[in-house]
Amino acid sequence: MTDWTDPDAFAAALERAETKEKGNCFEDFAEGETVEHDPGLVLSRRGSELWAGQTLNYDPTYWRPSVAEARGYDAVPVHPDYLLACVMGASVGDLSEKGGYFLGRDDLRYHRPGVAPGTELRVESVVESKAESSSRPAYGIVTWETTGYDAATGDPLLSYTRTNMIPRREPIAADGEGANAGDSEDEEAERADADLPDELLAPEGGHFEDFREALARADGRDAAVAYRHERGRTIDDTTVAQLPLATLNTAKQHHNADAMADSPSGEIVAYGDVTRSIALGHARSDEQTLREVSCDDERFHDFVTVGDTVYGFTHVLDANDGDARNAGEVTFEHVAFNQRDEPVYSGTRTALVRKRA
């Protein structure tokens, strides 16, 4: 009779045992295919407050009933970053659990302002495209459109497209081109410095008029409205593992140190949406944000690991008076960077920002 706990016997058993794998490889996806994701959360106020608190998103709309009611909500809504993380998390097991680089996200749209706690989430994805990767023969590139729905009504709550490198079962032959293409680091640094405007201006405050007035000051000058935010958030066990697992994100990158020991990072890494939410939390602390509208061109530039500190930088692109009496639409470019001043995330974001009373 086998003693499965005998170390030698168990080691031999592990060598012979088939591994029941999780996740899908590049070859498993077909363009046009719709993937229904079985996981799905009931959005909760506790989960929203945990996410918002740990990522320094302290807009009282998402904490205080009196403020939420004054801003037109029936009850305290869940934070939009928590909603995004829950939609993304439910998709990971089917789409990207195998690992691979998160290349970016586009066309993020919030279809219902003020999603209430207690909403049951249903998530599905459509495979938009597949492409080979000549520079990384062990991977292919897949783009999905993912939508989170209110399971009770079928109404869309949030949607986006995202692109990942996904491991292949069988690597393809690579031509080697593109791995080191482009300018040298010195040439890139010189060009970046030469491209900077002469002046970086900051708005006087956080209301819509402050952003509009700062853009007017920059108009006609070699200037940009761009500034950094004082707060920083150091990545710890809660942000690197607890937050993604609480949103059903099963990617090993965030909680399996053994599996990540031989990866390019050498250790577990932060969920990209934690990094993003921290950066946006820093930015929102210097705005009078009414609600989120959209995000585009989101890119993740480097690993963030436990002990790294995430800071935020904002470039104001536009301020449009719009139709709302009490708010105007402002478009920002946000950059998250670490303690070594290296960009780790960037994206554009449009939000309704309150006007002065």
Side-chain angles (χ1 to χ4, degrees):
M1 184 174 179
T2 301
D3 179 2
W4 295 97
T5 63
D6 175 78
D8 292 335
F10 188 65
L14 286 180
E15 289 180 358
R16 295 167 54 189
E18 176 186 348
T19 298
K20 294 291 188 182
E21 296 187 14
K22 294 291 186 183
N24 291 303
C25 293
F26 175 76
E27 293 88 342
D28 297 323
F29 296 104
E31 290 189 6
E33 171 190 13
T34 297
V35 182
E36 292 276 353
H37 305 296
D38 284 339
L41 289 171
V42 174
L43 301 171
S44 70
R45 183 168 175 184
R46 179 182 180 279
S48 177
E49 290 180 348
L50 174 66
W51 183 281
Q54 290 295 325
T55 58
L56 281 74
N57 280 278
Y58 297 140
D59 185 333
T61 300
Y62 306 101
W63 298 86
R64 297 171 54 196
S66 61
V67 175
E69 183 178 352
R71 295 178 183 174
Y73 300 108
D74 294 333
V76 172
V78 300
H79 196 280
D81 290 1
Y82 168 69
L83 171 62
L84 171 60
C86 290
V87 172
M88 180 90 159
S91 74
V92 165
D94 293 319
L95 304 187
S96 55
E97 184 162 341
K98 283 291 188 191
Y101 301 96
F102 186 178
L103 299 181
R105 181 170 50 213
D106 297 281
D107 302 320
L108 171 59
R109 299 294 181 267
Y110 302 92
H111 299 292
R112 182 199 293 177
V115 177
T119 301
E120 181 183 347
L121 197 59
R122 180 179 70 82
V123 182
E124 71 175 28
S125 297
V126 177
V127 182
E128 286 202 336
S129 65
K130 295 176 60 178
E132 309 291 348
S133 174
S134 60
S135 63
R136 295 184 182 272
Y139 293 85
I141 300 171
V142 185
T143 298
W144 307 277
E145 180 181 23
T146 298
T147 305
Y149 296 92
D150 183 328
T153 65
D155 295 332
L157 304 176
L158 177 148
S159 62
Y160 58 83
T161 60
R162 74 161 164 139
T163 302
N164 274 63
M165 297 193 94
I166 299 296
R168 301 181 62 100
R169 284 199 177 82
E170 298 293 336
I172 60 172
D175 59 19
E177 293 182 3
N180 296 303
D183 298 327
S184 70
E185 290 186 8
D186 289 343
E187 289 171 334
E188 289 179 355
E190 289 176 5
R191 186 179 67 247
D193 187 59
D195 287 345
L196 283 175
D198 288 342
E199 297 178 274
L200 299 183
L201 308 177
E204 296 295 327
H207 287 90
F208 170 76
E209 294 90 342
D210 296 310
F211 295 109
R212 184 177 59 188
E213 290 163 6
L215 287 170
R217 282 190 285 130
D219 189 34
R221 299 157 62 179
D222 187 17
V225 181
Y227 47 96
R228 61 189 296 169
H229 307 282
E230 183 177 11
R231 284 178 175 162
R233 173 68 163 101
T234 300
I235 298 297
D236 55 18
D237 289 342
T238 296
T239 47
V240 80
Q242 183 180 353
L243 290 187
L245 289 172
T247 61
L248 305 185
N249 186 332
T250 55
K252 61 188 176 185
Q253 295 96 307
H254 312 313
H255 62 270
N256 189 332
D258 179 44
M260 294 298 290
D262 295 327
S263 71
S265 66
E267 58 185 307
I268 58 176
V269 298
Y271 180 15
D273 278 330
V274 170
T275 301
R276 169 193 184 271
S277 190
I278 290 171
L280 298 191
H282 295 333
R284 291 169 181 139
S285 72
D286 292 319
E287 303 167 16
Q288 295 294 323
T289 316
L290 181 62
R291 70 174 177 87
E292 301 296 310
V293 176
S294 63
C295 290
D296 287 286
D297 303 318
E298 295 192 297
R299 302 292 181 263
F300 297 87
H301 303 285
D302 207 347
F303 302 117
V304 176
T305 61
V306 172
D308 281 344
T309 300
V310 177
Y311 295 95
F313 179 91
T314 292
H315 174 206
V316 183
L317 301 176
D318 192 23
N320 183 352
D321 198 53
D323 299 326
R325 179 181 60 81
N326 62 339
E329 199 170 82
V330 182
T331 299
F332 306 92
E333 178 182 11
H334 298 294
V335 179
F337 62 97
N338 61 22
Q339 68 275 17
R340 296 177 294 277
D341 293 344
E342 299 163 338
V344 294
Y345 159 86
S346 64
T348 61
R349 163 178 163 259
T350 298
L352 288 181
V353 177
R354 291 195 298 278
K355 295 178 180 178
R356 297 191 193 101

